[in-house]
Amino acid sequence: MSFYVTTPIYYVNAAPHLGHAYTTIAADILARHHRQRGEDVFFLTGTDEHGEPVADAARAKGVEPQALADLNSERFRALAPVLGASNDFFIRTTDPQHMAVVQDVLSRVRDNGFVHKGTYEGWYCPRCADFKAENEIDEGNRCPIHHIELTREQEENYFFQLSAFQEPLETLYAQRPDFVSPRTRYNEALSFIRSGLHDVPLTRHKLTWGVPVPWDPEHVFYVWFDALLNYYSALSYAPAPAGSPLAQGELTEAFWPASFHLIAKDILRFHAVFWPALLMAADLPLPQHIFIHGYLLMDGEKMSKSLGNVLDPFAVIDRFGSDALRFYLMRDVQFGQDGSVSTAAFEQRYESELANDLGNLASRTIAMVHRYRAGLVPDVPLDPHLAADFRRLPQQLSELLDRAELTLGLELIWERVRRLNRYVEERAPWVLAKDEQRAAELDQVLASLIAALRVLALLLHPYLPASTHLLLSALRHDDRSLAGAEWEWEPEPAPAGRAIGEIDSLFPKSA
Ligand code: ME8
């Protein structure tokens, strides 16, 4: 089994913000979860460096586009490990290997008869690098996303014959109802297709900052076609993932087509319409799923660097750690829908759920094993009352994450975190400990709590990799695979009990 997940490649016209961190974290959770299932995983992220958004930003700063791209691409590259992201490669569209693949694939699209010359006239947003139809623009000819005035463009270009793919795309959507999700986004893409597809510019004549068109050096490729191809080109030159039996050069065969492209709804049309059409035109297999999440909103507006209403992920992580940010974003905003974020909501979740529900549960459980059983987990059968709530969780989580239902997956686990807290209160080990007659009961409660903590830590591992690593290390459970999250998983017999370590507060309240 192989699993290939991607994030959009981010524009390098400014530094990363929380919106970018969001998609990268989501993709990382899927990648880590599939690694836990023992699959070969490839997780790609990177930066989109050509086109007007970058050329204009560089001009405004008085620097060359390449210099701005180098500076900001490095910031995005540095953000990934800070977020705890385990990406296998970081692509830059200025990589010469990527540029060669773009030229190669788009020449094939032309050889296949899907490119013709024409004149484009219409509205254009240089921040979106997007040509806007009349019904997509705000009053005063403004971009509905960036609120800037659109420019009227007239340009002789090569066009991609998108119109030829109207029927094939309708068939694709009919045959694969899970090609795009959530359902609202599927419907949105399909109705765009049904409204009639027009040919779109494939090249730009006025721009020089882009991948040169091999058959006409006065043109560069329109940045979106250059950018979309990153998902395919990366596999041709990325090194094989650490520990993989694959060699460099074997990744396309192993991982193409992608399992999941994660994006936000701002770039739905490019991914759900242009991209499959382009792949068909190039005779390449189509991705399995495109999942379109919503916007993180601040003050009711899409968080965006050009609007200036951004929350700095570096600052949040500095104070609370990357797990806290990962948790908050997946928990507070239903993945797939828009949701508001705020420092107040973040702090509330941190205190009540991470510090209290999970952190306290872990530290008091481990402390009780040390206090009452000298750090040895009794080797006794587990409490059957917990079994119904803890059995089959890996399967249930996998089913949700196979649909990229990241928030529902986290809620599935958190219900058990709360269940276990109730169990501690109900069974009150501190009461049992006072009564020698009830030693066997206490043994069972402690063994069950530790087993349940192991299950929770393994299930939560993709969401909270750093803190669950600490917890699993304290539990002396080295294997990170999902097999250990089975309630029935049996440790090696140890009649005298299994030793566990100690743990510091996982989510300190003073953070
Ligand atoms: O569009 N809420 O790059 P970009 C949620 N280079 N997600 C957000 C967000 C927000 N407020 N803001 C950004 C581009 N994102 C192109 C993509 S792909 C072939 C080329 C995330 O820097 C989300 O994933 O504008 C969104 O789709 C992406 O960043 C846009 O990043």
Side-chain angles (χ1 to χ4, degrees):
M1 282 290 278
S2 71
F3 181 81
Y4 176 25
V5 61
T6 67
T7 72
I9 45 169
Y10 306 116
Y11 283 133
V12 287
N13 51 354
H17 61 72
L18 201 63
H20 304 117
Y22 185 48
T23 320
T24 301
I25 288 170
D28 185 62
I29 293 169
L30 291 182
R32 287 178 183 270
H33 168 76
H34 281 269
R35 289 193 199 105
Q36 283 191 301
R37 285 157 71 167
E39 296 170 19
D40 283 329
V41 171
F42 198 76
F43 167 20
L44 179 70
T45 187
T47 42
D48 185 357
E49 308 191 4
H50 290 129
E52 251 143 343
V54 179
D56 287 355
R59 193 171 316 116
K61 285 190 169 352
V63 296
E64 288 301 313
Q66 185 69 60
L68 183 66
D70 289 346
L71 175 76
N72 282 327
S73 178
E74 200 39 52
R75 290 179 169 163
F76 279 96
R77 185 199 299 274
L79 177 64
V82 172
L83 298 172
S86 59
N87 53 300
D88 295 290
F89 190 55
F90 187 94
I91 189 170
R92 301 184 57 181
T93 53
T94 49
D95 290 343
Q97 300 96 321
H98 163 79
M99 293 172 64
V101 173
V102 170
Q103 291 180 324
D104 184 51
V105 173
L106 295 178
S107 297
R108 193 171 346 139
V109 170
R110 179 170 177 255
D111 295 344
N112 287 349
F114 297 112
V115 175
H116 61 84
K117 221 167 183 177
T119 304
Y120 179 82
E121 196 185 338
W123 298 106
Y124 182 80
C125 172
R127 293 261 178 80
C128 297
D130 190 9
F131 300 93
K132 306 271 179 194
E134 294 289 341
N135 61 359
E136 287 178 314
I137 58 184
D138 274 359
E139 210 168 294
N141 299 324
R142 288 179 179 275
C143 168
I145 297 174
H146 296 102
H147 311 319
I148 56 169
E149 241 181 84
L150 301 174
T151 51
R152 190 80 189 163
E153 294 276 342
Q154 191 187 24
E155 201 174 88
E156 181 145 299
N157 287 320
Y158 291 91
F159 277 67
F160 170 55
Q161 199 184 348
L162 185 64
S163 58
F165 294 92
Q166 168 115 18
E167 261 187 54
L169 287 171
E170 286 185 26
T171 309
L172 166 74
Y173 274 70
Q175 288 174 345
R176 292 175 45 185
D178 60 352
F179 180 63
V180 171
S181 45
R183 196 67 188 173
T184 46
R185 302 294 163 217
Y186 169 97
N187 291 336
E188 196 178 322
L190 184 57
S191 75
F192 178 80
I193 295 166
R194 286 192 178 140
S195 72
L197 295 181
H198 302 288
D199 297 348
V200 288
L202 176 73
T203 70
R204 305 294 312 277
H205 197 182
K206 288 192 185 146
L207 277 184
T208 51
W209 179 238
V211 177
V213 172
W215 64 84
D216 188 340
E218 294 208 343
H219 288 247
V220 295
F221 284 112
Y222 173 35
V223 63
W224 267 101
F225 289 100
D226 163 3
L228 286 164
L229 280 165
N230 90 87
Y231 302 132
Y232 177 70
S233 70
L235 296 177
S236 67
Y237 66 100
S244 152
L246 297 162
Q248 188 170 23
E250 294 176 349
L251 303 187
T252 308
E253 169 85 23
F255 292 110
W256 193 260
S259 316
F260 265 103
H261 293 311
L262 298 189
I263 60 166
K265 60 184 187 177
D266 49 346
I267 51 180
L268 172 141
R269 196 168 9 110
F270 296 108
H271 284 80
V273 183
F274 290 25
W275 180 224
L278 181 71
L279 289 169
M280 289 183 202
D283 302 318
L284 290 170
L286 309 186
Q288 288 162 18
H289 306 289
I290 300 170
F291 188 95
I292 300 175
H293 64 68
Y295 287 155
L296 299 182
L297 307 169
M298 281 200 86
D299 313 320
E301 284 252 37
K302 179 193 175 206
M303 197 185 297
S304 140
K305 47 203 165 193
S306 38
L307 296 180
N309 59 343
V310 298
L311 224 159
D312 180 0
F314 287 104
V316 178
I317 290 172
D318 234 22
R319 187 159 160 222
F320 294 95
S322 56
D323 279 7
L325 181 67
R326 295 167 71 101
F327 177 80
Y328 172 69
L329 292 178
M330 293 303 132
R331 185 99 175 116
D332 216 32
V333 180
Q334 170 84 33
F335 195 62
Q337 290 168 24
D338 291 351
S340 292
V341 292
S342 69
T343 348
F346 176 93
E347 287 176 13
Q348 211 266 328
R349 291 265 181 201
Y350 181 89
E351 285 271 316
S352 72
E353 300 196 315
L354 285 179
N356 287 346
D357 290 355
L358 182 63
N360 278 354
L361 174 70
S363 45
R364 74 201 282 219
T365 300
I366 289 175
M368 286 190 289
V369 173
H370 284 282
R371 191 172 318 133
Y372 304 136
R373 291 294 180 263
L376 294 175
V377 183
D379 195 1
V380 295
L382 305 182
D383 190 340
H385 292 106
L386 281 179
D389 288 320
F390 280 84
R391 187 169 281 149
R392 279 190 46 78
L393 288 178
Q395 292 80 351
Q396 291 176 40
L397 180 64
S398 298
E399 278 162 29
L400 290 170
L401 297 194
D402 280 346
R403 295 185 275 123
E405 290 288 6
L406 294 168
T407 305
L408 297 182
L410 187 51
E411 176 56 20
L412 175 89
I413 308 168
W414 219 258
E415 278 170 14
R416 275 66 185 187
V417 172
R418 290 191 295 249
R419 169 77 179 93
L420 212 54
N421 276 302
R422 286 199 305 276
Y423 182 76
V424 175
E425 293 306 318
E426 283 159 18
R427 304 308 309 271
W430 48 93
V431 175
L432 301 177
K434 291 195 183 122
D435 185 349
E436 252 317 299
Q437 303 293 314
R438 303 181 78 183
E441 249 181 276
L442 180 59
D443 279 346
Q444 186 180 58
V445 169
L446 293 177
S448 303
L449 280 171
I450 292 291
L453 264 190
R454 180 201 76 237
V455 170
L456 294 177
L458 285 168
L459 296 172
L460 282 171
H461 190 55
Y463 292 90
L464 306 172
S467 44
T468 55
H469 176 72
L470 293 177
L471 177 52
L472 288 161
S473 304
L475 298 178
R476 303 276 191 261
H477 186 87
D478 298 331
D479 184 5
R480 298 290 177 263
S481 85
L482 260 191
E486 301 285 353
W487 186 241
E488 285 77 15
W489 181 84
E490 296 255 342
E492 291 285 300
R498 276 169 295 119
I500 57 168
E502 313 230 10
I503 196 167
D504 278 340
S505 178
L506 288 177
F507 302 101
K509 286 217 181 152
S510 56

